[in-house]
Amino acid sequence: MNKITCGIATVLIGREFALTPLLNYFRNVEFPNNIEINLYLTLGCNSDFEIILKDKIKELELNKKYSNIYFIKGVSKCYSDLSWNEWETFTRQQDPNKKHRAALENIEIALDAAKEETYIHFVDDDTIPPYHALKDLLKSYQNINNCGLASGIYFNKTWVNPTAAVSEIEASRRIVGSFTKETWGNCSIDDLAIENYQDVGFVGNGCMLVAGNDVKKIIPLSKWHEDGDEIAPPDFIICRRLRRLGKIVSIVPSIIAEHLDQSGKPVGLTLEYLNNIKNSTGTFKFLVTHYSKYLNYEVLSKQYDKVLIIYHTEIHREIPSKLYNYSNIEVVKRSIRETCSEYPDIKNYSKLKGESMQYATLGEMHRFIKDKSKYITYYYDTLHNTVVKIPLLDSNNLKKLLNKKP
């Protein structure tokens, strides 16, 4: 019987703020007893950081954990003269293509070095999985027929500033991945709760597992196979090429990795927030609607645990004072003109007016659930006189996702 091996690989570009938690993951990662593990470290950092890295590896005695530790020469990150704060903002918002090209070259080097392994577990140097990640990735990969890539969940860093359509709160729920397959579409953790997360279009390469034999078929990543490869990020190319082999790209919801910003803090939803949802009990129904004088608010206050009434100062007359007498009714005042002035992507009032109510509704829904562990969201459509349940924002669906076992 052939020996089963796994190469754990990463590219280090000098993120000192993430080094300790990353190496702690490598030290404590759990894996089956019948697998030999090796560590592949591609160095895209300067010599000073390399010294710090090797001292830390010695301190943690990683040589006792791994059969072999390989140091591979990589390329330096683009715009290496910038501070981390400047680099994160500039490369993501002003020159993402150059960032993608440098990352692609290093990831290609790392995957090529580990391609003879049975499995390759690639981890970005700013992404910290839970210690059980590798075991769950292996189990999921092996349980899904024709799986080509298994990935944990981690949240997006900021690529663009908040807009009138997508608030900062809503953006914080977005993950690195896309359930759509034609192109990389925005995807939140809430989407995963109602979509087929076991067969998606794209995932990030921050916490993934692939087979060495499949990697041999898709590298070199820098060699163009089809339109768009020349500007696509490496994770897009990896996923698309694996799916072109007839393989499935899958997400493992039991793995929530922390994606660290330049100060070392996790972006997106916190593990505490997600654990509260995972372990929640009971229900909490809330309704969002726009003000209408024809609604019976006394009845609504009895049917729902919370009612949010959106009141646009440019559209509605003054709200009746009696609404403030209900303890579970909250009146939310919004101004279309103020929204125009807040977001530079909206140049004038007329461009926003028709969509403002929709944006306000989504914004208030996300604002309300941002610190709630249980919620069932409803929307009252005053135009059609109907109440609609919003599956996307139902904590019961998210709770089921978070409690899924591989």
Side-chain angles (χ1 to χ4, degrees):
M1 184 176 179
N2 291 334
K3 179 174 63 176
I4 300 174
T5 66
C6 181
I8 299 180
T10 191
V11 174
L12 296 137
I13 59 171
R15 290 185 167 109
E16 193 168 347
F17 56 83
L19 182 60
T20 296
L22 179 70
L23 293 182
N24 280 334
Y25 172 69
F26 293 157
R27 181 189 187 188
N28 295 292
V29 61
E30 301 165 3
F31 59 93
N33 293 329
N34 64 333
I35 292 184
E36 175 188 300
I37 58 170
N38 300 297
L39 186 60
Y40 293 81
L41 304 174
T42 299
L43 305 177
C45 53
N46 61 32
S47 57
D48 291 339
F49 185 85
E50 186 176 339
I51 292 171
I52 295 171
L53 167 67
K54 291 181 177 178
D55 285 345
K56 192 71 176 177
I57 288 174
K58 185 176 180 180
E59 175 189 332
L60 294 175
E61 299 182 323
L62 292 190
N63 61 304
K64 294 182 179 180
K65 175 91 171 185
Y66 295 89
S67 299
N68 298 284
I69 299 177
Y70 300 103
F71 296 94
I72 304 110
K73 182 175 176 55
V75 298
S76 298
K77 74 179 192 296
C78 60
Y79 301 109
S80 57
D81 57 318
L82 297 178
S83 70
W84 279 110
N85 277 331
E86 294 169 331
W87 188 85
E88 288 285 2
T89 301
F90 183 82
T91 59
R92 290 177 187 278
Q93 297 184 10
Q94 298 187 46
D95 199 355
N97 287 343
K98 193 165 184 178
K99 176 184 183 296
H100 292 330
R101 291 305 94 190
L104 182 140
E105 189 172 351
N106 273 327
I107 292 170
E108 179 177 281
I109 292 169
L111 294 179
D112 184 69
K115 66 186 177 185
E116 298 301 331
E117 303 280 352
T118 312
Y119 300 103
I120 301 171
H121 173 33
F122 188 90
V123 182
D124 275 342
D125 65 341
D126 61 352
T127 305
I128 315 301
Y131 296 151
H132 62 83
L134 178 54
K135 291 179 73 172
D136 285 8
L137 287 171
L138 284 164
K139 189 179 294 184
S140 181
Y141 184 97
Q142 292 163 355
N143 287 342
I144 295 174
N145 186 39
N146 209 31
C147 189
L149 187 156
S151 169
I153 296 171
Y154 60 104
F155 292 96
N156 250 334
K157 290 187 180 181
T158 302
W159 287 88
V160 295
N161 291 322
T163 65
V166 181
S167 67
E168 183 176 355
I169 296 172
E170 181 181 352
S172 72
R173 304 179 75 89
R174 291 188 172 175
I175 66 163
V176 185
S178 167
F179 63 86
T180 59
K181 297 179 179 179
E182 297 76 20
T183 187
W184 191 307
N186 290 320
C187 178
S188 69
I189 194 169
D190 307 295
D191 287 309
L192 294 185
I194 60 175
E195 299 290 343
N196 181 10
Y197 61 84
Q198 289 190 324
D199 185 5
V200 301
F202 303 93
V203 293
N205 48 248
C207 177
M208 70 174 188
L209 182 83
V210 292
N213 284 336
D214 285 338
V215 165
K216 294 175 186 177
K217 298 173 185 176
I218 66 170
I219 57 174
L221 301 178
S222 54
K223 183 178 179 181
W224 299 353
H225 285 196
E226 53 188 300
D227 288 346
D229 275 2
E230 69 277 9
I231 59 171
D235 42 16
F236 181 97
I237 293 174
I238 290 169
C239 290
R240 184 164 67 174
R241 290 188 185 177
L242 286 170
R243 288 194 288 108
R244 294 288 190 261
L245 297 176
K247 301 285 186 172
I248 288 173
V249 175
S250 183
I251 290 176
V252 186
S254 62
I255 302 169
I256 307 292
E258 293 188 304
H259 199 185
L260 306 184
D261 66 14
Q262 59 270 24
S263 63
K265 295 179 180 179
V267 302
L269 301 181
T270 66
L271 294 179
E272 180 184 10
Y273 173 82
L274 294 172
N275 283 328
N276 286 340
I277 291 178
K278 184 177 180 178
N279 300 314
S280 64
T281 58
T283 60
F284 188 95
K285 300 193 302 181
F286 82 100
L287 176 80
V288 179
T289 185
H290 293 267
Y291 175 69
S292 170
K293 64 181 180 180
Y294 301 108
L295 290 178
N296 188 327
Y297 291 102
E298 181 178 0
V299 171
L300 290 177
S301 70
K302 294 176 181 178
Q303 292 176 331
Y304 297 92
D305 298 297
K306 185 76 172 183
V307 179
L308 301 181
I309 303 171
I310 301 173
Y311 161 74
H312 275 98
T313 55
E314 293 90 352
I315 298 174
H316 303 114
R317 295 182 178 180
E318 191 64 34
I319 291 283
S321 58
K322 65 180 182 179
L323 286 184
Y324 295 96
N325 296 331
Y326 299 102
S327 61
N328 65 335
I329 289 182
E330 178 184 344
V331 178
V332 181
K333 287 190 175 183
R334 299 286 294 249
S335 167
I336 300 173
R337 287 186 174 88
E338 288 180 7
T339 300
C340 285
S341 62
E342 183 178 354
Y343 297 105
D345 57 310
I346 303 297
K347 300 302 182 184
N348 59 65
Y349 177 93
S350 61
K351 285 189 177 181
L352 182 63
K353 187 174 181 180
E355 300 169 331
S356 179
M357 297 179 81
Q358 176 186 351
Y359 295 159
T361 301
L362 290 172
E364 291 306 322
M365 287 177 177
H366 284 99
R367 180 187 66 83
F368 184 77
I369 69 171
K370 71 177 183 179
D371 57 359
K372 305 293 187 299
S373 61
K374 52 186 179 182
Y375 50 85
I376 304 174
T377 309
Y378 295 85
Y379 172 62
Y380 187 93
D381 185 342
T382 55
L383 183 62
H384 299 99
N385 194 31
T386 56
V387 174
V388 180
K389 185 178 178 180
I390 312 297
L392 185 69
L393 300 180
D394 183 340
S395 65
N396 290 314
N397 293 329
L398 186 51
K399 178 180 177 180
K400 290 177 184 176
L401 175 79
L402 296 172
N403 280 289
K404 288 285 187 181
K405 303 297 181 184

